[in-house]
């Protein structure tokens, strides 16, 4: 029985983004869909052909394979496919085949282009690129949930005024929310106690219900920061409770607004540059999670946020190096401190250990080595105190192996390239992300150039590095879902670091080695690889879009934890995402898997 227009309309209203279209738009769209039926094993289209339009699964299953024949996705009812090619040049990048009796809805190319041109919801859904968002971090562009203090102190209405005052003094706050269960009924401030109890002559056992402000004005978490500011100015108040569905969820004070506007990477860098000890620096670095949440809330792109956060780690390191020389005396020979890992790539988030090493001038004597060993201990211990915990793999300058002369480092790299065993692959992966932080930079410049040239010319080493880059795989399940962690503390989550960001980091590093690119940052490496022809323009752009989505999802997850008063981590439960977000994230993982397949088959690019 043919599908009737009313049935098609009902189906579309159950699929995003069509459910966001108004009735008139659906009236125009419904007649444009064509119905296509396929038998098991029948090909819908092949890689490299011109797409007819956008496909939407009405029933059955469709398998998507990359250009190397590797299955990268299994789609079912309500899943769309083909949009990647349509958003680019109209050419299919993959092959699609029916696994069983399958009915597809085909929206012709012209109709698809009209849809995304005229409807923002559709354009946002189908456009996988992460266009630059406005980089605003002022109150007018920040939601109250990113400003408020969660779990504000509360007391019941019968609490004596003196007891309330003692609690405020002990906790260092200037107000208490008065609640009955979780329902907010009032707010009492230190000013209320001063004016009404002390100056007004009331008994100190007077219950706070008699001096509090009843039914104080509140705002929802979705309000913006300027709403709070305007309310405080207009009503001459310094505290605004935040409620959601009648429940108290937070509070914003004048201090919070001042702190928000004061917290910037520049302000933290300035404070660290004046610090006289690691303990002082720790007081400043403790504010990094708040900075992260603020930067994310302000719409900054992930590479901007991680660059600013890494700048703080660089400043801490340089300050500790300066304090070490003050304590130990001037260094006897030229030296260079380098960061590797996420700090080396300038991609630190709210969760960071330390990875570092030192390169010394070849004139360094055994006695000089003792000096630099003390310097390394001073700096690494200081970094740990400042919140950059010791590297679990001992990849630090305190390890004598990573505190060596230029000649020794040259020997290291030659050995790794010449004999690429598993340890050499791992070490090369870390050490190819080196970035000078403090000292004499010229000690590394020639070494980097020599190493890139030697690595790019050694096909066996490159092949081993490619193999190493495929060890971390995107968390894709067989049936349209995610392959989550099965047990333990992080059960039913995906690791956005090791199975999300790291696979892209590894691919970008291989591209850089193949093309002898000096860039260290992941995004910069992919962009340079596209320009150098180490990866195709279309495949590289897809990988950039996928990386942007995964990296920003990771930061948004960490920022969300910070807002809830929790420590940031990399473990995301897919169930916390909307259908829209899950669809995009899974598509990003599919792109990464496709690029891994391409480089694993010796092509290194995806058309």
């Amino acid at each position: 029985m043919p599908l009737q227009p009313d049935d098609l309309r009902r189906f579309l209203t159950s699929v995003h983004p069509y459910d966001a279209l108004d009735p008139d738009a659906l009236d125009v769209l419904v007649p444009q869909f064509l119905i296509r039926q396929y038998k098991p094993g029948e090909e819908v289209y092949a890689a490299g052909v011109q797409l007819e339009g956008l496909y939407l699964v009405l029933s059955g299953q469709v398998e998507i394979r990359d250009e190397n024949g590797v299955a990268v996705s299994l789609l079912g009812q309500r899943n769309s496919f083909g949009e990647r090619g349509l958003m680019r040049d109209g050419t299919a990048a993959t092959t699609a085949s029916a696994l069983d009796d399958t009915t597809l809805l085909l929206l012709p190319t012209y109709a698809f282009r009209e849809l995304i041109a005229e409807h923002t919801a559709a354009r946002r859904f189908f456009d996988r690129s992460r266009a630059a968002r406005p980089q605003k971090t002022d109150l007018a562009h920040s939601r109250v949930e990113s400003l408020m203090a969660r779990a504000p102190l509360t007391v019941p209405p019968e609490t004596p005024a003196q007891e309330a005052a003692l609690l405020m003094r002990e906790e260092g706050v200037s107000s208490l929310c008065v609640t009955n269960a979780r329902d907010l009924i009032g707010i009492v401030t230190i000013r209320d106690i001063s004016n009404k109890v002390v100056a007004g002559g009331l008994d100190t056992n007077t219950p706070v219900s008699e001096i509090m402000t009843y039914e104080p004005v509140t705002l929802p978490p979705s309000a913006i920061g300027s709403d709070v500011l305007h309310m405080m100015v207009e009503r001459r108040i310094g505290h605004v409770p935040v409620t959601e569905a009648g429940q108290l969820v937070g509070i914003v004070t004048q201090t919070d607004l001042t702190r928000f506007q004061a917290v910037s990477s520049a302000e933290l860098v300035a404070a660290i540059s004046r610090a006289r000890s690691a303990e002082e620096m720790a007081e400043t670095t403790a504010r990094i999670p708040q900075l992260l949440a603020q930067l994310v809330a302000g719409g900054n792109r992930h590479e901007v946020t991680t660059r600013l956060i890494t700048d703080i780690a660089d400043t801490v390191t340089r300050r500790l190096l300066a304090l070490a020389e003050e304590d130990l005396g001037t260094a006897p020979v030229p030296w260079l401190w380098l960061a590797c890992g996420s700090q080396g790539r300038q991609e630190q988030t709210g969760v960071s250990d330390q990875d570092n090493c030192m390169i010394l001038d070849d004139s360094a004597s055994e006695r000089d080595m003792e000096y630099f060993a003390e310097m390394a201990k001073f700096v690494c211990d200081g970094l740990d105190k400042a919140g950059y915990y010791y590297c679990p793999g001992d990849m630090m300058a305190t390890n004598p192996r990573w505190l060596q002369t230029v000649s020794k480092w040259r020997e290291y790299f030659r050995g790794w390239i010449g004999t690429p065993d598993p340890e050499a692959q791992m070490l090369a992966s870390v050490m190819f992300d080196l970035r000078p932080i403090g000292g004499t930079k010229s000690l590394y410049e020639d070494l980097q150039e020599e190493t890139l040239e030697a690595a790019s010319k050694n096909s066996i080493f490159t092949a081993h590095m490619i193999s190493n880059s495929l060890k971390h795989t995107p968390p894709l399940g067989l049936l349209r879902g995610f392959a989550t962690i099965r047990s333990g503390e992080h059960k039913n989550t995906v690791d956005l670091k090791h199975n999300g960001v790291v696979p892209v980091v590894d691919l970008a590093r291989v591209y850089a080695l193949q093309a002898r690119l000096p860039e260290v940052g992941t995004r910069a490496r992919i962009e340079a690889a596209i320009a150098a022809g180490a990866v195709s323009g279309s495949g590289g752009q897809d990988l950039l879009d996928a990386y942007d989505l995964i990296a920003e999802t990771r930061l948004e997850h960490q920022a969300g934890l910070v807002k809830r008063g929790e420590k940031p981590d990399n473990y995301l439960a897919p169930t916390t995402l909307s259908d829209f977000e899950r669809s995009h994230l899974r598509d990003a993982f599919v792109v990464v898997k496709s690029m891994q397949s391409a480089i694993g088959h010796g092509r290194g690019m995806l058309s």
Side-chain angles (χ1 to χ4, degrees), residues 8 12 18 21 24-33 107 111 115:
L8 176 54
L12 290 177
Y18 310 107
L21 303 181
D24 291 341
L26 278 175
D27 288 341
V28 173
L29 190 64
V30 167
Q32 299 185 76
F33 274 97
L107 184 63
L115 174 68

Side-chain angles (χ1 to χ4, degrees), residues 95 214 218 281-283 353 373 456 465 475 518:
T95 295
Y214 274 96
T218 65
M281 296 180 208
E283 295 177 7
D353 62 355
S456 65
M465 289 298 290

Side-chain angles (χ1 to χ4, degrees), residues 315-337:
T315 305
V316 170
T317 305
R318 283 191 287 269
R319 184 59 182 151
L320 287 168
L321 287 166
L323 291 175
E325 282 204 289
E326 284 185 22
D327 186 59
L328 301 172
T330 303
V333 299
W335 56 272
L336 179 63
W337 184 282

Side-chain angles (χ1 to χ4, degrees), residues 235-506:
R235 298 173 181 267
R236 298 183 182 180
I237 56 176
H239 310 79
V240 177
V242 182
T243 59
E244 188 169 31
Q247 302 279 294
L248 178 68
V249 295
I251 190 168
V252 183
T253 68
Q254 287 180 336
T255 301
D256 293 324
L257 294 188
T258 301
R259 185 184 299 118
F260 175 85
Q261 295 178 94
V263 174
S264 68
S265 57
E267 193 266 339
L268 297 188
V269 163
I272 291 167
S273 66
R274 297 189 297 267
R276 296 298 306 169
S277 68
E279 287 77 11
E280 281 186 44
M281 296 180 208
E283 295 177 7
T284 302
T285 56
R287 300 163 67 187
I288 289 177
Q290 182 188 349
L291 173 65
L292 170 70
Q294 179 178 319
L295 290 170
V296 172
N300 290 277
R301 287 178 58 89
H302 68 90
E303 67 268 28
V304 174
T305 298
T306 56
R307 172 65 181 269
L308 294 175
I309 289 175
T310 305
D311 284 348
I312 297 170
D314 290 355
T315 305
V316 170
T317 305
R318 283 191 287 269
R319 184 59 182 151
L320 287 168
L321 287 166
L323 291 175
E325 282 204 289
E326 284 185 22
D327 186 59
L328 301 172
T330 303
V333 299
W335 56 272
L336 179 63
W337 184 282
L338 304 98
C340 44
S342 59
Q343 185 183 1
R345 297 189 304 274
Q346 295 181 297
E347 293 166 3
Q348 286 190 315
T349 66
V351 188
S352 295
D353 62 355
Q354 55 173 295
D355 296 283
N356 47 62
C357 62
M358 288 191 80
I359 298 178
L360 309 179
D361 188 82
D362 281 335
S363 63
S365 65
E366 285 298 321
R367 185 171 182 178
D368 295 336
M369 297 296 284
E370 293 176 6
Y371 170 94
F372 288 110
E374 289 187 48
M375 172 184 272
K377 186 177 188 311
F378 184 99
V379 176
C380 290
D381 287 350
L383 286 169
D384 182 68
K385 291 176 184 176
Y388 302 95
Y389 54 88
Y390 297 120
C391 173
D394 201 21
M395 194 71 68
M396 299 179 293
T398 47
N399 183 339
R401 191 178 185 185
W402 313 127
L403 172 59
Q404 293 292 341
T405 62
V406 173
S407 295
K408 188 64 177 178
W409 276 102
R410 185 172 283 111
E411 181 183 322
Y412 281 162
F413 279 107
R414 285 174 179 168
W416 295 334
I417 294 169
T419 311
D421 58 26
E423 185 190 37
Q425 295 170 41
M426 181 274 292
L427 294 174
S429 294
V430 174
M431 294 305 179
F432 275 118
D433 292 350
L434 289 176
R435 182 173 59 87
I437 302 298
T440 306
K441 292 184 179 180
S442 60
L443 291 173
Y444 179 62
E445 290 170 356
D446 291 343
L447 179 60
Q448 182 189 36
E449 186 175 343
E450 291 172 18
T451 301
L452 285 172
E453 181 178 5
S456 65
K457 290 180 177 179
N458 190 317
S459 59
I460 296 177
F461 173 75
T462 303
H464 278 280
M465 289 298 290
I466 289 173
S467 176
N468 190 63
S469 74
L470 304 180
K471 290 181 179 178
H472 293 96
T473 58
L476 288 168
L478 293 177
L479 299 174
R480 305 189 301 279
F482 295 97
T484 58
I485 297 171
R486 295 183 178 181
S487 61
E489 179 185 359
H490 304 297
K491 183 179 180 181
N492 298 326
T493 67
V494 295
D495 186 340
L496 289 176
K497 177 182 178 181
H498 292 102
N499 298 111
V501 170
V502 169
V504 185
V505 170
D506 290 343

